[in-house]
Amino acid sequence: MTLKCFHCNEAVPSGISLLVTINNTEQPMCCIGCQAVAQTIVDNGLTQYYSVRTEPANKGQSLIPEQLQKNKLLDEAALQNEFIYQDNDTKEAILTIDGISCAACAWLIEMQLDKLSGLVSISVNATTQRATVKWRHAELNLSDILTAIENIGYHALPFKANEAELRNKKQSKAFIKRLGISGILMMQVMMIATGLYFGAFSDMSEDHKHYFRWVCFILTTPIIIYGAFPFYTGAFNAIKMKRLSMDVPVSIAIILAFTASAWATITRQGEVYFESVSMFTFLLLIGKFLEFRARSRAAQVSANLLKLMPMTATKLTTITSPAGHNTYEEELIAAKQLVVDDHVLIKPGEVVPADGVIVSGSSQLNEAMLSGEQLPISKSVTDNVFAGTINGDGNITVQVKQPTSHSFLSQLIRLSEQSQAHKPKLAQLSDKIAQFFVALILITSICTALYWHQHLPEEAFWITLSVLVATCPCALSLATPTGLTCATTRLNKDGIMIKGGHVMEAVPQLNCFAFDKTGTLTTGEFQINRVEVNGEYTKENVLAIAAALEAHSEHPIAKPFTAHRDFSIQAQNITVHSGKGVSGDIDADHYTIGKSGWAISQLDENAQQAISNHQDANCTLIKNNQVIASFYLVDQIRDDANAVIEALNKTGRTMLLSGDSQQACDKLATVLPLSSVEGSLSAQDKMHKIQQAQQNEKFNVAMTGDGVNDSPVFGAAHVSIAMGCGADITKSGADVILLNNKLSSINTLIKVGHKTRRIIIQNYLWAFGYNAIVLPLAVAGYITPYMAVIGMSTSSILVITNSLRLLKK
């Protein structure tokens, strides 16, 4: 029997024995090209490709160069479904980038990729070593973006939680290996150097002493070539792009010190500094390793979120028997293969594989990964469920509403990455300063070398070395990104989703807080308390008519009518009046239902005068210019609303901007200590009120609402906050979403915002203060190279450690 190539399905020639292990099974390949391509797919963790492909792949070509071929593979749609978010003509992906050593690397990548035609945006987070890239797929391929990153000396791959964790472990092992080798060799060099300094070899001949110099030279060489290699690559990439990074002065210092010592050893003239340069490199590596560990800790939360996505799902397939009876067959498939309208069975203890709606069964689900709330939430038919949440003790069948790449969890992670990568004005300024500062260091070092060569030539070299190292502005570039990453991570843990990059910058400046009423200060879970009926209609009849109309509305007031739905009554020619009500036809009669003030305004003057006693109702039903029913609803005030308003009044002004009647708003104001109350407002009116507060009273306004019909209002506010996680966050205009649906989260947001600002300012004060103090001391010769290395590393570690305080509650 002729073997077929597993990759391209062509016959495997006799005498060829090429194998690739795919899903723990060795599969035959027909040529080296197919073997290389298949191995690339396996290495990138994309073996799911072979499960979802509809036809054999093209015959693999020789990988010349190999990395270009790997990048091209990632353009295939079957592979991209796993990590690409597509919206009309644009695609978006999160990439993991290896080789980023500081914020200058992130800036360098952004500057170079901005030149690509078809790139919409790129933001690189140096702390998490990830980039969020958006591009027009008709003009640009993902492989072009990856190749452009490769061309400037970095390596990028689509971000996957498990892969990122493995890469982190691999990097950590490489760091430890580099540290171990450098440390062991450095100790040997130090032992010999100590003996020479303290006269242990004083009775030896000069030839024997020179022999020990050669031993030190041989032992130091691996430290300089292997141990310090990351600094050289960082410096080379920066210079190649005509930029200056923090690695440039460090690399110059190491190379100069080693070269001078090597020359003195070979020529037998001058002093050697092998022990100094080896310890110098070792201390730098320790600083880099501690910085890497701190970054890894700050980056792990969103990676852990992605791990919540299950690998498999139990899909229900409908089978129709010859007799016409439908039965369901369970099929275990990869969760990534689920499409819209698939039905999935979720058993007790299983993780929900996709966003959807429950079509049968009931259970309790743990949504702590979204909201931070550990108590399970009861869910039944018609309730929404979200990917990554954990089912409790009941079997439920869910109809898929969003593919995996568009799930709420995926969007949450994507938007979190964007907000962390945002650079406030202060950070943008510091990046520019850092570039000039490196140039200043190099110029100052040259001037220092010339001055001390004239006045103290034997110490000139080491003084110059100290200047190069001590003033390296790593801490300056780390000040903001570490603070923002830790702050957004802390808020995510509490169920507060930051969408807008400017939020953490704007929150400390807020001094006016505007609120919607329904669903914000109140729970939005209305109940029908009383029904007033006019004419020959019954209570049941008017409730059924109202339910038929309100079925077309998403407003919170429409929800209590759902229980009275009679599907024999169908409304047609429906018009939804945003934030006001609904009108439509039922059996040739025209009906209108909505907020009483608005509904009554639709009547002629005579009809309005006849029903003045219905003005205080929450909702009015009109048939052909005649009021036939009025509904009185009750809505409960949130438990934490009073404490939140009291706390906000201490720092600014609080406003109620509601579409409900002025009477209902005034009633709420008797319970809550609001500064001002405005009722009967349309969305446009709310927007004007916010603009007036901004322009006339110079307030910085935060608007909190339920996200329904609030887009223009949200757009006007400095910071917009939406309640709950039910709305599609990609369409919501909010900057912040309170996934836990707790009003008290606003206080948490403000508290963390102020703390973030303080910590970032502290980071900058330390970074600028350290450089301002150490530069003149180094130039004056008061700082040795050891002190310079320790000072530079300590300053970076202090900045990161200070930022990590934000993770604590």
Side-chain angles (χ1 to χ4, degrees):
M1 180 179 175
T2 304
L3 278 176
K4 295 286 187 179
C5 176
F6 187 77
H7 182 72
C8 70
N9 208 36
E10 290 190 10
V12 177
S14 59
I16 294 289
S17 180
L18 299 171
L19 300 171
V20 174
T21 302
I22 300 172
N23 294 329
N24 299 321
T25 304
E26 287 192 337
Q27 302 291 357
M29 299 290 152
C30 66
C31 63
I32 293 174
C34 284
Q35 183 191 38
V37 172
Q39 191 62 54
T40 299
I41 291 174
V42 172
D43 291 344
N44 284 287
L46 301 170
T47 52
Q48 185 65 33
Y49 164 70
Y50 289 112
S51 303
V52 299
R53 64 177 180 175
T54 55
E55 58 184 33
N58 294 327
K59 191 174 179 69
Q61 301 299 317
S62 181
L63 296 181
I64 306 174
E66 183 181 350
Q67 192 56 48
L68 289 177
Q69 194 79 353
K70 287 183 180 180
N71 293 346
K72 285 289 183 185
L73 281 171
L74 295 176
D75 289 334
E76 294 199 25
L79 298 184
Q80 287 192 355
N81 287 338
E82 295 190 29
F83 54 83
I84 292 289
Y85 173 80
Q86 186 163 346
D87 182 20
N88 297 326
D89 63 338
T90 62
K91 290 184 177 181
E92 189 171 322
I94 300 174
L95 305 177
T96 298
I97 303 181
D98 291 338
I100 293 179
S101 60
C102 63
C105 299
W107 179 84
L108 176 64
I109 294 168
E110 289 177 353
M111 291 300 101
Q112 289 305 116
L113 263 68
D114 268 339
K115 300 173 185 176
L116 293 177
S117 176
L119 190 80
V120 177
S121 63
I122 177 169
S123 53
V124 181
N125 188 332
T127 305
T128 60
Q129 295 191 323
R130 296 179 204 145
T132 302
V133 188
K134 190 173 185 179
W135 70 97
R136 289 184 290 273
H137 56 83
E139 303 175 40
L140 189 65
N141 290 323
L142 177 60
S143 60
D144 299 327
I145 296 171
L146 299 178
T147 302
I149 294 173
E150 297 279 347
N151 288 340
I152 52 176
Y154 302 92
H155 180 55
L157 280 174
F159 170 62
K160 289 184 171 183
N162 291 332
E163 302 297 327
E165 187 176 7
L166 289 173
R167 271 192 291 272
N168 267 347
K169 286 181 179 178
K170 188 176 177 182
Q171 279 185 293
S172 182
K173 285 180 180 178
F175 257 121
I176 292 170
K177 185 179 177 183
R178 221 178 279 274
L179 266 173
I181 292 172
S182 300
I184 291 168
L185 295 175
M186 181 267 296
M187 286 189 286
Q188 307 306 313
V189 174
M190 289 299 295
M191 282 194 297
I192 296 171
T194 304
L196 287 170
Y197 288 149
F198 289 99
F201 308 133
S202 57
D203 56 343
M204 287 187 179
S205 66
E206 284 299 316
D207 287 338
H208 282 92
K209 289 182 182 179
H210 191 65
Y211 165 77
F212 281 116
R213 282 190 173 189
W214 273 100
V215 172
C216 290
F217 174 49
I218 293 167
L219 291 172
T220 306
T221 301
I223 301 174
I224 302 306
I225 295 175
Y226 175 69
F229 187 73
F231 304 112
Y232 306 148
T233 54
F236 176 74
N237 291 333
I239 292 170
K240 188 171 70 171
M241 295 296 116
K242 299 178 182 177
R243 308 290 178 190
L244 291 175
S245 74
M246 290 45 164
D247 290 323
V248 173
V250 168
S251 299
I252 292 172
I254 293 171
I255 292 168
L256 283 178
F258 179 72
T259 304
S261 301
W263 180 253
T265 301
I266 295 167
T267 61
R268 294 196 175 201
Q269 294 179 356
E271 293 297 320
V272 295
Y273 313 103
F274 292 122
E275 77 289 346
S276 299
V277 75
S278 59
M279 179 173 279
F280 171 69
T281 305
F282 180 66
L283 291 174
L284 278 174
L285 283 171
I286 289 177
K288 280 283 184 184
F289 178 66
L290 293 175
E291 186 182 312
F292 166 76
R293 290 289 295 272
R295 285 180 178 181
S296 297
R297 184 185 168 195
Q300 69 185 6
V301 172
S302 58
N304 289 341
L305 279 177
L306 264 184
K307 288 183 192 175
L308 295 172
M309 297 294 283
M311 296 297 292
T312 59
T314 306
K315 180 182 174 183
L316 296 178
T317 307
T318 306
I319 299 175
T320 306
S321 67
H325 300 296
N326 289 337
T327 58
Y328 292 100
E329 183 179 90
E330 296 183 14
E331 180 187 1
L332 196 65
I333 66 167
K336 294 165 186 172
Q337 291 180 258
L338 291 174
V339 296
V340 176
D341 291 333
D342 276 351
H343 284 70
V344 185
L345 176 64
I346 303 167
K347 299 172 184 177
E350 289 187 344
V351 178
V352 178
D355 291 1
V357 61
I358 298 175
V359 292
S360 72
S362 62
S363 184
Q364 290 189 321
L365 282 89
N366 186 330
E367 296 186 347
M369 40 69 67
L370 291 178
S371 64
E373 178 57 61
Q374 294 295 332
L375 291 176
I377 300 168
S378 296
K379 300 265 185 175
S380 57
V381 176
T382 72
D383 286 335
N384 291 319
V385 294
F386 301 97
T389 56
I390 303 169
N391 186 23
D393 54 3
N395 282 298
I396 53 175
T397 302
V398 172
Q399 184 179 4
V400 176
K401 292 296 182 185
Q402 294 282 6
T404 305
S405 61
H406 287 64
S407 70
F408 188 82
L409 182 62
S410 299
Q411 295 171 43
L412 187 152
I413 293 165
R414 183 168 51 82
L415 294 170
S416 178
E417 288 290 331
Q418 288 177 356
S419 63
Q420 289 178 16
H422 171 80
K423 285 193 176 74
K425 293 176 183 176
L426 187 61
Q428 293 172 9
L429 178 63
S430 71
D431 283 351
K432 291 179 181 177
I433 291 173
Q435 289 291 312
F436 290 111
F437 198 78
V438 172
L440 177 65
I441 291 170
L442 296 175
I443 293 168
T444 304
S445 300
I446 294 169
C447 295
T448 302
L450 293 173
Y451 174 83
W452 286 108
H453 186 70
Q454 296 294 324
H455 295 82
L456 195 64
E458 63 274 14
E459 295 294 329
F461 181 80
W462 289 114
I463 293 173
T464 305
L465 192 65
S466 297
V467 173
L468 280 169
V469 177
T471 53
C472 185
C474 293
L476 185 64
S477 294
L478 288 168
T480 297
T482 53
L484 289 180
T485 297
C486 292
T488 52
T489 298
R490 158 80 165 83
L491 291 172
N492 283 350
K493 285 181 178 178
D494 283 349
I496 303 169
M497 174 66 202
I498 305 296
K499 279 182 60 187
H502 69 287
V503 170
M504 300 311 296
E505 191 177 12
V507 162
Q509 300 170 2
L510 296 175
N511 53 11
C512 181
F513 304 90
F515 294 90
D516 187 20
K517 175 178 173 286
T518 306
T520 305
L521 293 177
T522 62
T523 61
E525 297 173 0
F526 286 93
Q527 293 178 336
I528 300 172
N529 188 41
R530 191 169 95 247
V531 181
E532 295 282 349
V533 180
N534 293 338
E536 72 281 6
Y537 291 93
T538 65
K539 179 180 176 181
E540 290 73 19
N541 195 206
V542 294
L543 282 170
I545 294 170
L549 293 166
E550 294 285 21
H552 300 273
S553 173
E554 293 293 326
H555 197 278
I557 286 179
K559 291 181 181 178
F561 292 94
T562 305
H564 304 279
R565 187 81 165 92
D566 181 351
F567 287 93
S568 65
I569 301 174
Q570 295 293 330
Q572 297 176 331
N573 303 323
I574 292 293
T575 303
V576 178
H577 305 272
S578 179
K580 299 172 182 176
V582 183
S583 60
D585 298 330
I586 300 175
D587 297 332
D589 292 312
H590 186 70
Y591 290 86
T592 299
I593 187 170
K595 294 176 181 177
S596 293
W598 171 78
I600 292 170
S601 70
Q602 308 301 303
L603 301 171
D604 58 35
E605 291 184 12
N606 293 331
Q608 287 184 32
Q609 293 172 2
I611 48 87
S612 57
N613 60 326
H614 289 273
Q615 296 282 358
D616 60 339
N618 298 93
C619 198
T620 299
L621 177 63
I622 297 172
K623 174 187 177 182
N624 299 333
N625 203 43
Q626 179 186 0
V627 174
I628 61 171
S630 294
F631 305 95
Y632 295 81
L633 309 177
V634 289
D635 185 15
Q636 187 178 357
I637 298 172
R638 291 187 184 274
D639 295 336
D640 52 358
N642 193 72
V644 170
I645 299 299
E646 283 184 351
L648 294 177
N649 280 333
K650 294 176 183 177
T651 57
R653 177 182 172 189
T654 54
M655 303 165 58
L656 176 63
L657 303 177
S658 175
D660 286 2
S661 66
Q662 187 64 46
Q663 184 181 7
C665 293
D666 291 337
K667 185 179 178 181
L668 184 68
T670 61
V671 182
L672 299 178
L674 293 155
S675 304
S676 63
V677 175
E678 299 277 355
S680 303
L681 300 177
S682 65
Q684 205 71 19
D685 295 331
K686 292 180 186 179
M687 184 179 71
H688 291 318
K689 292 289 182 183
I690 288 176
Q691 289 173 339
Q692 286 174 10
Q694 291 169 333
Q695 294 167 7
N696 300 340
E697 302 175 70
K698 306 302 180 186
F699 279 123
N700 291 317
V701 183
M703 175 66 195
T704 306
D706 58 5
V708 180
N709 303 322
D710 280 336
S711 293
V713 191
F714 280 175
H718 288 91
V719 175
S720 52
I721 305 169
M723 302 293 293
C725 61
D728 185 347
I729 59 175
T730 57
K731 294 178 182 176
S732 170
D735 299 317
V736 181
I737 299 176
L738 307 183
L739 302 176
N740 55 20
N741 227 28
K742 291 180 181 177
L743 206 60
S744 57
S745 294
I746 296 173
N747 288 341
T748 304
L749 174 65
I750 293 167
K751 178 184 174 184
V752 173
H754 281 282
K755 189 175 180 181
T756 303
R757 186 185 184 190
R758 281 199 310 274
I759 280 180
I760 289 175
I761 290 173
Q762 288 168 7
N763 288 347
Y764 277 115
L765 287 175
W766 167 254
F768 279 115
Y770 165 77
N771 281 293
I773 293 168
V774 83
L775 182 58
L777 289 175
V779 170
Y782 291 111
I783 293 180
T784 65
Y786 300 121
M787 294 166 62
V789 174
I790 293 169
M792 188 205 71
S793 299
T794 303
S795 67
S796 296
I797 294 166
L798 278 176
V799 164
I800 295 172
T801 306
N802 190 39
S803 297
L804 287 173
R805 291 195 298 125
L806 284 164
L807 295 175
K808 296 180 181 179
K809 293 190 178 183

